[in-house]
Amino acid sequence: MPSSPACEQVTVRHLLAEVHFLHAVSSAALDALAEAATCQRYAQGATIFLEGDPTAGMYLVEQGVVKISRVSLEGREYIMHLPERGDTFNDVSTLDGGPNPAHATAHTDVVLWRIDRDTVQRLARAYPDLTWALIEDLAGRTRQMVTLLHDLAMRSVRGRLARLLLQEAESRDSDVVQRLLTQEEMAARLGTVREMVGRTLRGLANDGLIEFDRHRIVILNPQRLAEEAEI
C-alpha cells in the first residue's frame, strides 16, 4: 500500500513544468493541476494498480522508475513502458474513463503524484490549452504504438534490440546504457525470450558495435548500430 507523506505542492508545480506536453500550457492550468495532485510513495516491487481495475487516474513520476506491463494468459510479461521523472502514465483510462489498460509496478522505489479522472476532466473544461495538450499527448502515444507494432512485425530481434539500446542511450544523452533492464526485461520489451536477447547482445559485442558487463552497455559504433536498427 502507498504511504501519503506531506509532500510539498511546490515540488509538483516545478515538476509539471518539466512535462514535455505541458510546456505550452498556462501557469494557471499548471497551478490548478498542482493543487489537485496528491503524493504517493511505493517501494520497489509494489503494485501501483492492476490492469482491468477502474481507472486509477493520471500519475506523474517525481522519482524512480515505474514499470507498465501486461501479462498473457500463459503468464508471459510484456513491458510496454518505463516512465521516469517527468513522465505521466495511465493517461488513456483517465481520458476515456475505461479500466486501467495495464499493470503498473514500482520498478524502483518511486515518488508519484496522482490526479483523479474527475479532476482532470474538470480542469480540461476550465482550461482549453490543457485540453489540447492532452489531445496532442494522446496522439503522440498512438504514433508510438504504431511504430511499436511495425517493429514487432517487420524488424528482427537484432534490429529491435539495436533500436532499444539507441533509445535508452538517447534518453540519457550518452553512449552508455545503464543496466536498469535485465535481459529478461529487455525480452519483455522486445516480444522475445531472454536467451535470444543474450545471444543477440553477444553478437553485437562480437561485431564491435557494443561492449557490455554486469553494470552497463557501452555503444562503440552508434552509426552501425543505427543501421542494424533498421533491419
Side-chain angles (χ1 to χ4, degrees):
M1 295 295 291
S3 60
S4 298
C7 299
E8 294 184 6
Q9 238 43 38
V10 66
T11 302
V12 70
R13 177 59 178 82
H14 291 311
L15 185 62
L16 285 164
E18 298 178 20
V19 178
H20 70 93
F21 69 89
L22 296 178
H23 285 172
V25 171
S26 66
S27 293
L30 295 182
D31 289 343
L33 286 169
E35 185 177 353
T38 57
C39 185
Q40 298 180 343
R41 297 178 186 266
Y42 293 84
Q44 182 178 12
T47 297
I48 300 168
F49 56 73
L50 295 175
E51 174 189 349
D53 282 355
T55 180
M58 184 170 69
Y59 287 79
L60 173 62
V61 182
E62 178 182 340
Q63 295 178 20
V65 180
V66 174
K67 179 173 69 174
I68 307 298
S69 64
R70 299 191 70 166
V71 179
S72 71
L73 293 176
E74 295 78 23
R76 183 174 173 180
E77 182 183 47
Y78 178 74
I79 299 176
M80 303 172 65
H81 187 37
L82 291 168
E84 300 178 331
R85 179 182 172 85
D87 293 333
T88 62
F89 62 94
N90 210 43
D91 305 48
V92 171
S93 74
T94 303
L95 294 176
D96 73 6
N100 303 320
H103 301 299
T105 309
H107 196 56
T108 66
D109 292 349
V110 294
V111 179
L112 309 174
W113 292 86
R114 175 183 174 273
I115 306 174
D116 64 71
R117 168 177 158 77
D118 289 344
T119 299
V120 173
Q121 193 173 48
R122 173 175 58 82
L123 294 179
R125 290 195 183 103
Y127 300 98
D129 55 342
L130 174 60
T131 303
W132 188 249
L134 291 167
I135 291 171
E136 286 190 327
D137 179 56
L138 188 59
R141 292 173 190 269
T142 302
R143 186 179 295 275
Q144 290 174 355
M145 292 304 297
V146 171
T147 300
L148 176 60
L149 289 172
H150 176 269
D151 286 349
L152 290 172
M154 305 298 293
R155 287 192 171 90
S156 65
V157 172
R158 184 176 169 109
R160 299 203 300 273
L161 180 56
R163 178 178 287 267
L164 176 62
L165 294 176
L166 289 169
Q167 288 173 339
E168 290 294 309
E170 182 180 2
S171 69
R172 291 161 177 79
D173 193 24
S174 170
D175 287 337
V176 177
V177 178
Q178 300 298 326
R179 297 296 292 273
L180 178 64
L181 289 172
T182 65
Q183 290 187 15
E184 186 171 355
E185 289 164 339
M186 288 183 182
R189 288 278 297 273
L190 300 173
T192 185
V193 295
R194 180 181 59 80
E195 292 78 10
M196 178 62 75
V197 169
R199 287 198 298 271
T200 306
L201 283 171
R202 290 192 293 273
L204 291 173
N206 291 338
D207 291 341
L209 277 66
I210 64 171
E211 64 179 17
F212 63 98
D213 55 32
R214 293 180 59 189
H215 304 294
R216 63 181 192 167
I217 298 173
V218 180
I219 297 176
L220 301 177
N221 195 325
Q223 181 175 350
R224 285 189 59 197
L225 197 64
E227 292 171 358
E228 291 287 346
E230 296 303 319
I231 299 175

